[in-house]
């Protein structure tokens, strides 16, 4: 029964579309009609508001962190399910016809909640790749892989397995980005495309 509660806790938090809500409240309209059509921070940045993008990033981190942290107090054996379903909730929110974001920031929050060294590895790779390439999708995909590798290196196989499944999901959600990366047409952070 705890597995069900763990999954519902993760999905419930993960499915809150903060980017969409913040953009509408700020009078920026429906962010699903601009850029990539995504509800995450990178697309919110395309509205021209760095503040809204930063708020979206922090809230998307929180919706990964908070449910996993709570699961650690209530049913720690099933934290992995909460982690997985927080990312699934962000990617496939029932409120938006199962069309959400790509899970990068939410998985950062998940990683920090599972174990801070995993979150640190995630953050270092994410920020480092973003600084070097200015390509958000490449930084995000690199970070999700880094989290799984870090969990394995730290000797936490249960978390490593969950993070590996999440990494596969996040990379799959970036399949269009991968095509553009191969073609050399993937936009850099700050571009309008």
């Amino acid at each position: 029964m705890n597995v069900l509660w763990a999954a519902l806790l993760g999905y419930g938090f993960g499915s809150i579309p903060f980017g969409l809500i913040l953009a509408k409240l700020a009078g920026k309209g429906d962010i699903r009609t601009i850029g990539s059509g995504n509800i995450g921070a990178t697309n919110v940045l395309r509205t021209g508001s760095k503040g809204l993008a930063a708020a979206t990033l922090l809230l998307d981190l929180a919706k990964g962190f908070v449910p996993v942290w709570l699961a650690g107090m209530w049913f720690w054996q099933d934290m992995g399910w909460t982690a997985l379903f927080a990312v699934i909730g962000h990617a496939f929110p029932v409120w938006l016809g199962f069309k959400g974001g790509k899970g990068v920031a939410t998985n950062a929050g998940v990683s920090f909640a599972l174990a801070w060294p995993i979150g640190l590895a995630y953050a270092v790779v994410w920020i480092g790749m973003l600084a070097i390439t200015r390509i958000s999708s490449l930084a995000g995909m690199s970070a999700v892989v880094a989290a799984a590798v870090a969990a394995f290196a730290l000797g936490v196989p249960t978390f490593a397995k969950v993070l590996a499944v999440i990494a596969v999901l996040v990379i799959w959600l970036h399949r269009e980005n991968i095509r553009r990366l191969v073609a050399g047409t993937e936009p850099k952070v700050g571009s309008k495309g």
Side-chain angles (χ1 to χ4, degrees):
M1 191 60 172
N2 280 350
V3 170
L4 176 61
W5 287 116
L8 286 173
L9 177 66
Y11 188 88
F13 272 89
S15 66
I16 302 168
F18 285 118
L20 180 66
I21 293 167
L22 291 177
K24 283 192 174 185
L25 288 175
K28 300 290 186 180
D30 188 337
I31 59 166
R32 295 173 296 178
T33 64
I34 64 167
S36 65
N38 195 288
I39 62 166
T42 300
N43 207 43
V44 173
L45 185 60
R46 292 186 178 112
T47 67
S49 175
K50 291 180 182 178
L52 274 183
T56 300
L57 176 66
L58 290 174
L59 288 168
D60 283 352
L61 279 159
K63 73 183 186 183
F65 182 89
V66 172
V68 175
W69 178 74
L70 290 172
M73 292 192 304
W74 298 335
F75 25 76
W76 60 268
Q77 303 95 328
D78 298 310
M79 285 170 65
W81 289 106
T82 305
L84 175 61
F85 275 87
V87 178
I88 288 172
H90 177 76
F92 307 106
V94 64
W95 332 110
L96 303 179
F98 302 100
K99 294 177 183 173
K102 295 177 183 173
V104 172
T106 303
N107 193 36
V110 159
S111 297
F112 273 105
L114 289 173
W116 72 263
I118 297 172
L120 183 62
Y122 192 107
V124 167
V125 171
W126 188 10
I127 293 166
M129 285 298 289
L130 192 58
I132 293 165
T133 67
R134 291 186 47 236
I135 300 175
S136 180
S137 60
L138 186 58
M141 288 186 286
S142 300
V144 296
V145 171
V149 170
F152 180 77
L154 290 167
V156 195
T158 305
F159 294 165
K161 288 174 189 172
V162 168
L163 290 167
V165 170
I166 292 171
V168 169
L169 172 62
V170 170
I171 290 168
W172 179 77
L173 290 168
H174 280 84
R175 59 197 181 279
E176 291 299 322
N177 303 84
I178 293 168
R179 288 188 189 104
R180 289 192 297 270
L181 282 165
V182 171
T185 59
E186 180 72 343
K188 295 192 175 190
V189 171
S191 72
K192 299 286 182 186

